[in-house]
């Protein structure tokens, strides 16, 4: 049997410009470029990122951007069969299953350097945060002011929800240095929507 094609990965590299990803469109394009370079063809890729309501534009929920599932990692392991399972205790997301588009593991807590903070801008249920607080580094366009909610791909660490893959705590800031200082590197999750 052929393993299931990859429909989920953690980016192996970020934008290099902190949490300025060029907005949702820029983040999606980066997912597509990484997937194509890894040999994945014929799929539409979206970043698992929320954006907040601003300037008359409505909020966007990460959970609504990623298709219906099921999703498999680079090794063919099932991550979640659908959006509900992805945001439940049944989700198969661990340090071992959170692979990059190349099939590599991502450094977690205890590794040097620790890069377990994954950008999401999302609450536990995969939705954008209400209210005026910046939880998306100005909707993924800032590498200076602001903050972003991050998850822990290895499901351990500090914060309000330390074992959450998508909503552990806010980042220290939006610059590459601030992301690195608190255990990240500007990585995020990519899902095939078709």
């Amino acid at each position: 049997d052929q393993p299931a094609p990859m429909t989920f990965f953690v980016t192996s590299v970020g934008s290099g410009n902190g949490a300025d990803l060029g907005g949702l469109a820029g983040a999606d394009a980066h997912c597509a470029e990484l997937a194509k370079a890894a040999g994945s063809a014929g799929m539409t890729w979206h970043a698992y990122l929320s954006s907040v309501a601003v300037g008359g534009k409505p909020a966007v929920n990460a959970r609504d951007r990623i298709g219906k599932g099921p999703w498999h990692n680079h090794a063919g392991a099932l991550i979640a069969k659908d959006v509900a399972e992805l945001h439940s205790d049944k989700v198969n997301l661990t340090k071992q299953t959170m692979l990059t588009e190349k099939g590599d593991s991502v450094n977690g807590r205890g590794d040097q350097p620790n890069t377990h903070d994954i950008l999401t801008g999302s609450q536990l249920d995969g939705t954008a945060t209400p209210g005026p607080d910046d939880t998306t580094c100005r909707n993924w366009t800032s590498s200076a002011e602001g903050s972003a909610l991050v998850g822990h791909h290895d499901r351990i660490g500090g914060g309000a929800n330390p074992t959450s893959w998508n909503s552990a705590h806010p980042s220290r800031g939006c610059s590459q240095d601030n992301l690195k200082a608190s255990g990240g590197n500007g990585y995020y999750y990519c899902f095939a929507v078709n």
Side-chain angles (χ1 to χ4, degrees):
D1 284 351
Q2 289 286 332
M6 176 181 71
T7 47
F8 161 85
F9 63 88
V10 182
T11 58
S12 61
V13 291
S15 71
N17 195 25
D20 182 352
L21 310 176
L24 293 177
D28 291 348
H30 186 61
C31 286
E33 287 166 14
L34 292 175
K36 184 178 178 185
S40 176
M43 294 183 203
T44 301
W45 292 88
H46 280 180
Y48 182 93
L49 297 169
S50 294
S51 64
V52 296
V54 65
K57 291 184 178 174
V60 175
N61 299 320
R63 67 180 292 139
D64 299 335
R65 308 189 72 245
I66 58 171
K68 294 186 162 95
W71 299 283
H72 296 84
N73 70 5
H74 185 278
L78 180 68
I79 297 302
K81 67 178 195 247
D82 55 31
V83 173
E85 187 170 271
L86 183 66
H87 297 91
S88 78
D89 292 339
K90 294 179 182 169
V91 67
N92 181 28
L93 288 177
T94 66
K95 185 181 178 189
Q96 290 69 41
T97 63
M98 294 270 205
L99 303 176
T100 70
E101 77 282 359
K102 299 174 183 177
D104 296 330
S105 297
V106 179
N107 279 5
R109 192 164 185 160
D111 298 325
Q112 293 300 324
N114 175 17
T115 56
H116 76 164
D117 283 0
I118 310 294
L119 300 170
T120 71
S122 303
Q123 301 181 99
L124 292 171
D125 64 356
T127 60
T129 55
D133 292 345
D134 183 11
T135 54
T136 63
C137 286
R138 298 192 177 170
N139 285 342
W140 315 111
T141 62
S142 174
S143 60
E145 298 301 313
S147 177
L149 283 170
V150 298
H152 289 156
H153 87 283
D154 55 1
R155 314 293 293 272
I156 56 173
N161 305 297
T163 62
S164 170
W165 66 272
N166 69 338
S167 194
H169 61 80
S171 67
R172 187 173 295 181
C174 300
S175 71
Q176 193 73 16
D177 286 345
N178 273 334
L179 295 178
K180 285 182 175 179
S182 53
N185 202 22
Y187 300 156
Y188 48 95
Y189 303 116
C190 298
F191 287 81
V193 300
N194 57 331

